[in-house]
Amino acid sequence: MVDYTAVGLPIFRLTVEAVTFARLKMPTLHEFVLRSILISETDSGGIARLLGLSEDLVEEALATLAYDRCVALAQSPSVGKVDIDAVDQIASPLKCYEVTDIGLEKLREGQRTPRDEPLVFDYDGIRRHPIALGSESVRRPKELAIDGAIQIRPYPVNAPEVSELSSRAVAHVVRRRFDRQFERDILAFRRIARRESLFRPAIGLLYQSRSTDEVQVAFVVEDQLVQDYEIEFAKHGGAKKPGLIRSSVGDRAAIRAFLGPERSAVIAQGDELSRRRAKVTLAVRERMELEARLERLRRKPKLKTTEEQDLTIVQLRLDEARAELDSLPLRELSPYEQWELFADALESAKRRLYLTSSDISADVTDAQVLRCLNERLDEDVEVRIDTSVPLTAEPKGKVGSFEPRVELWLTEQRRNLTHVTRAKEHGSLYFLIKDDDLAIVTNRPFLCGRGRPLSFIPTVGVITRRSDMVSDIARLAGVDPSDPRPSRCKERRRG
């Protein structure tokens, strides 16, 4: 995996004019009159006594049921059904009634009446079928842009036509959408009255072959890897769509040129690196599960002691796996590692911290990052930040909005923070150097997000924890430990 980012999967919200059969229940009085006849109360007087109603009311109900051919008059058990057309025939106290086949059907199914009504449902723009999102939220295009997510385009681009809609599938998702039984049958669709383009929040995962430049995109929806999205997206050439994936060939060449042939030759990659990473990942997952159990069992001291012993063993296993991974002199960087190591460097730097970025944006350089930087400055850590844009004292956003470039400018004025314009010769490369135990060279800036246009950006980078290699990379990046500039800044400000 070379990149992951928030994406929006295309959804069409359709309002369709449909012809439906409404299933209307018969009036309660008529229902119980029919049920009374079925249990052998066959005359109006007996039905009235059973239901506790007046005989006049029961006779009126029988008249209506007879008109609708739901009941028939029987002179005696040996006499067949006789249709009733007059109310005076029904009112005879000597007559007995029985339920007709029509009455039985209406009692079971209700009365069905065709009518026109609008139906609103969501249609998946990739898998091309109606979809029941339930309470899951969707995003409008502007909201997706604010979140910095990539818009995945539907294929075909247009919403479906009426001829593409299945009445059974639509009835299913309409039922699910309103969280109740859809008690109507859809006879036909007249037209699509409205089409609205929306997006379903998801995470896109970009994979790249180790031996070729072939790429593949997968999608995680609600913490589940959804394979049919991946298959349908690939069928229509999704990963090959222009602008969706930024080429990493130039970045890979730039890193190798920066490191030189000797260092590039020792970069660990492939199956051995994957094996060591997997050991760390499994140990981290096991530790997280044990910590969660400890939280649940914190009120049970005896069980908790056993769990704490297990946690110590897992922590030792994790430390060993990390030591094995870090023993590699130089290895490829994975996309998730960059931000984990960035957060760790902010928290644990003891002597120096060097960061480079193209810009400084609030989506990465948030209040937590600034707090960590100020804590390191309080501890006399040499902090240097190189960016392609200057810090500024002039706010440019809305009143009261958080602007990290302004906050860092204020920090530079009051504290021992060094800000330098990024060297042009480094091009698309960015650096993180912490003390003598961590150096990262990558094509992803550390203090800002993805920028626009939005696309997948394969992470290309290397990491080392060996002190000699860290010193070499620091010197190549122009921050040799003997550089007196930070010290002069400190002395000038103290003076």
Side-chain angles (χ1 to χ4, degrees):
M1 188 177 70
V2 294
D3 192 25
Y4 65 94
T5 186
V7 300
L9 300 174
I11 297 293
F12 295 109
R13 181 153 292 173
L14 304 179
T15 302
V16 178
E17 292 181 4
V19 181
T20 65
F21 256 147
R23 298 177 182 175
L24 303 177
K25 293 182 179 179
M26 64 170 52
T28 303
L29 176 58
H30 294 180
E31 177 186 349
F32 279 89
V33 167
L34 291 178
R35 293 186 184 280
S36 299
I37 296 172
L38 290 174
I39 60 172
S40 302
E41 289 291 350
T42 58
D43 64 274
S44 59
I47 295 171
R49 288 189 297 273
L50 176 65
L51 299 180
L53 301 172
S54 68
E55 192 168 346
D56 290 341
L57 188 60
V58 172
E59 288 176 352
E60 183 180 349
L62 284 168
T64 304
L65 289 168
Y67 181 82
D68 292 337
R69 300 187 182 277
C70 292
V71 297
L73 180 62
Q75 294 289 349
S76 67
S78 61
V79 179
K81 295 179 182 177
V82 179
D83 290 339
I84 302 173
D85 296 318
V87 174
D88 58 345
Q89 286 179 299
I90 300 174
S92 173
L94 302 176
K95 303 296 195 242
C96 297
Y97 308 93
E98 59 186 15
V99 181
T100 66
D101 291 340
I102 294 174
L104 289 171
E105 182 179 355
K106 287 189 176 181
L107 188 63
R108 182 174 61 252
E109 300 289 342
Q111 189 172 356
R112 292 157 60 85
T113 304
R115 69 178 185 183
D116 290 346
E117 66 173 308
L119 301 177
V120 180
F121 59 92
D122 296 319
Y123 189 89
D124 195 303
I126 293 180
R127 298 179 294 183
R128 307 304 291 186
H129 61 68
I131 181 173
L133 292 180
S135 60
E136 183 182 344
S137 61
V138 293
R139 301 283 189 274
R140 300 184 185 279
K142 287 185 179 179
E143 296 172 328
L144 206 67
I146 292 173
D147 293 341
I150 298 174
Q151 295 183 10
I152 303 298
R153 297 299 179 183
Y155 185 89
V157 176
N158 296 326
E161 299 297 332
V162 169
S163 59
E164 299 178 55
L165 300 178
S166 163
S167 58
R168 179 177 295 182
V170 171
H172 174 70
V173 300
V174 170
R175 179 188 309 125
R176 290 285 302 278
R177 176 174 169 74
F178 292 101
D179 198 26
R180 58 181 172 82
Q181 189 73 15
F182 183 66
E183 297 180 345
R184 295 181 291 284
D185 292 329
I186 299 174
L187 295 181
F189 299 110
R190 294 193 186 277
R191 69 185 184 95
I192 298 177
R194 184 182 178 189
R195 300 171 175 86
E196 185 179 8
S197 293
L198 300 171
F199 291 92
R200 185 182 188 184
I203 299 296
L205 308 177
L206 180 65
Y207 295 90
Q208 186 171 28
S209 170
R210 292 196 185 104
S211 56
T212 68
D213 290 333
E214 183 182 356
V215 292
Q216 184 175 336
V217 180
F219 300 101
V220 175
V221 181
E222 293 186 324
D223 297 329
Q224 296 292 326
L225 193 63
V226 186
Q227 286 190 336
D228 51 353
Y229 267 124
E230 179 182 348
I231 292 170
E232 291 301 320
F233 188 70
K235 277 183 183 178
H236 306 303
K240 298 178 182 178
K241 291 181 179 179
L244 182 64
I245 301 172
R246 198 184 81 177
S247 174
S248 61
V249 175
D251 296 336
R252 208 172 286 276
I255 287 181
R256 291 188 174 275
F258 172 82
L259 294 173
E262 292 184 5
R263 297 182 190 87
S264 298
V266 300
I267 297 176
Q269 53 190 321
D271 293 339
E272 176 60 21
L273 177 58
S274 296
R275 184 189 67 79
R276 298 192 188 195
R277 278 182 180 153
K279 287 180 65 176
V280 174
T281 300
L282 292 173
V284 168
R285 183 182 302 171
E286 189 176 356
R287 187 187 65 178
M288 291 174 64
E289 291 173 353
L290 279 173
E291 287 175 342
R293 285 208 295 270
L294 271 175
E295 181 64 23
R296 291 193 298 269
L297 298 173
R298 65 184 185 276
R299 296 183 181 180
K300 300 178 181 179
K302 292 182 180 179
L303 293 175
K304 184 176 179 180
T305 302
T306 304
E307 295 287 349
E308 285 176 343
Q309 292 173 352
D310 292 340
L311 186 59
T312 301
I313 295 172
V314 172
Q315 184 62 50
L316 287 173
R317 191 181 306 136
L318 174 59
D319 293 342
E320 290 174 359
R322 281 179 171 163
E324 184 181 2
L325 182 63
D326 293 339
S327 66
L328 296 170
L330 201 61
R331 62 180 174 85
E332 288 188 338
L333 178 73
S334 65
Y336 62 86
E337 279 184 306
Q338 174 162 343
W339 305 113
E340 291 176 355
L341 295 169
F342 171 66
D344 178 70
L346 289 175
E347 293 282 353
S348 61
K350 300 298 183 185
R351 188 173 67 84
R352 66 170 173 176
L353 179 62
Y354 173 58
L355 299 168
T356 70
S357 185
S358 57
D359 199 353
I360 301 171
S361 60
D363 60 338
V364 175
T365 314
D366 54 19
Q368 174 71 11
V369 169
L370 289 175
R371 181 187 66 79
C372 289
L373 287 173
N374 278 281
E375 287 177 353
R376 301 293 79 76
L377 290 169
D378 288 340
E379 298 167 359
D380 287 333
V381 175
E382 304 281 5
V383 179
R384 172 177 158 182
I385 296 175
D386 292 9
T387 62
S388 302
V389 297
L391 304 181
T392 179
E394 298 295 329
K396 301 196 176 175
K398 295 180 180 179
V399 176
S401 62
F402 179 76
E403 298 193 39
R405 287 169 61 189
V406 176
E407 297 294 332
L408 285 174
W409 182 86
L410 293 171
T411 302
E412 185 186 24
Q413 304 307 305
R414 300 191 301 261
R415 313 290 292 276
N416 186 29
L417 170 68
T418 302
H419 176 263
V420 179
T421 301
R422 197 165 73 94
K424 292 183 179 180
E425 61 266 23
H426 292 149
S428 61
L429 301 186
Y430 303 93
F431 309 99
L432 183 153
I433 298 172
K434 182 193 73 111
D435 301 332
D436 295 318
D437 60 7
L438 175 63
I440 299 174
V441 184
T442 176
N443 64 337
R444 303 287 290 275
F446 282 94
L447 298 177
C448 66
R450 311 178 72 83
R452 289 178 175 81
L454 294 174
S455 60
F456 284 100
I457 305 173
T459 298
V460 179
V462 293
I463 171 178
T464 182
R465 285 197 175 270
R466 277 184 30 175
S467 57
D468 58 335
M469 196 71 75
V470 171
S471 297
D472 288 345
I473 290 176
R475 178 177 51 79
L476 292 171
V479 285
D480 190 88
S482 62
D483 185 358
R485 175 169 43 192
S487 300
R488 287 201 301 267
C489 290
K490 181 185 290 187
E491 291 171 1
R492 175 171 55 82
R493 285 181 183 148
R494 286 176 178 172

